[in-house]
Amino acid sequence: MTNSYYLRRRIRSAVFLGLSVMATIFGLGWLALILGTLIYEGFSGINTAIFTESTPPPGSTGGLLNAIFGSVAMSAFAVIVGTPLGILAGTYLAEYGRHTRFALVVRFVNDILLSAPSIVLGLFIYDVMVLSLGHFSAWAGGVALATIVVPVVVRTTENMLLLIPNTLREAAA
């Protein structure tokens, strides 16, 4: 009697395993078809004009030079501004102001910025910079990205510096 239960369980297991494998193959087949179409159509559309010409009006040919340059410029600005500021704040929190009130406030604000969704930070910078300037700018995008970079660098720097044992800190002093 127990042998028949075991046999039924093995048959059911094999059937559902087979169905799972077939569903996986079905899904991966569609994924491969989409990816193949994307690669085929994408490579056929790549030419030097995409990287050397500015974005044209709708309906005419051109490239993405200004979009590529703008993305690189905003990212570079965010890294150039956000990284040193984050390293300085993280070093202060880990080395000098561990238990001061100011460090607690900085840590609290950093945690709020770290947990804030990027869309909220972007809308805040939009409200502060874009609306007050009256037009869009790469500076506003760079400031928004720097606002996202700073708390990540602060937390990472503080945690990495706190990994150093106190005895090693004292020996270095």
Side-chain angles (χ1 to χ4, degrees):
M1 188 157 167
T2 49
N3 197 11
S4 67
Y5 288 136
Y6 180 70
L7 182 62
R8 275 194 291 178
R9 284 180 54 196
R10 289 199 46 151
I11 290 172
R12 285 182 187 161
S13 176
V15 166
F16 283 107
L17 181 64
L19 289 172
S20 298
V21 168
M22 287 184 347
T24 301
I25 290 171
F26 181 75
L28 287 176
W30 285 107
L31 182 64
L33 181 68
I34 292 170
L35 188 61
T37 304
L38 177 70
I39 289 172
Y40 175 74
E41 295 292 332
F43 278 131
S44 66
I46 292 181
N47 55 27
T48 57
I50 287 180
F51 302 105
T52 59
E53 295 179 13
S54 292
T55 305
S60 56
T61 60
L64 299 172
L65 179 63
N66 53 354
I68 294 170
F69 177 75
S71 296
V72 170
M74 286 190 303
S75 299
F77 177 78
V79 169
I80 289 169
V81 170
T83 304
L85 189 62
I87 290 174
L88 289 171
T91 303
Y92 171 78
L93 291 175
E95 298 292 332
Y96 303 108
R98 280 195 191 181
H99 305 293
T100 63
R101 283 188 180 189
F102 182 67
L104 292 175
V105 170
V106 170
R107 241 183 239 106
F108 179 72
V109 171
N110 189 61
D111 289 342
I112 289 172
L113 284 174
L114 195 60
S115 63
S118 59
I119 189 72
V120 172
L121 295 175
L123 284 172
F124 174 74
I125 298 300
Y126 175 81
D127 191 37
V128 169
M129 287 191 71
V130 175
L131 292 181
S132 64
L133 293 174
H135 59 83
F136 293 106
S137 69
W139 293 110
V143 170
L145 286 175
T147 308
I148 295 170
V149 167
V150 169
V152 174
V153 175
V154 169
R155 175 66 60 90
T156 304
T157 302
E158 182 183 12
N159 287 342
M160 292 302 106
L161 289 175
L162 289 176
L163 288 175
I164 299 169
N166 285 331
T167 54
L168 187 58
R169 287 175 204 263
E170 292 169 4

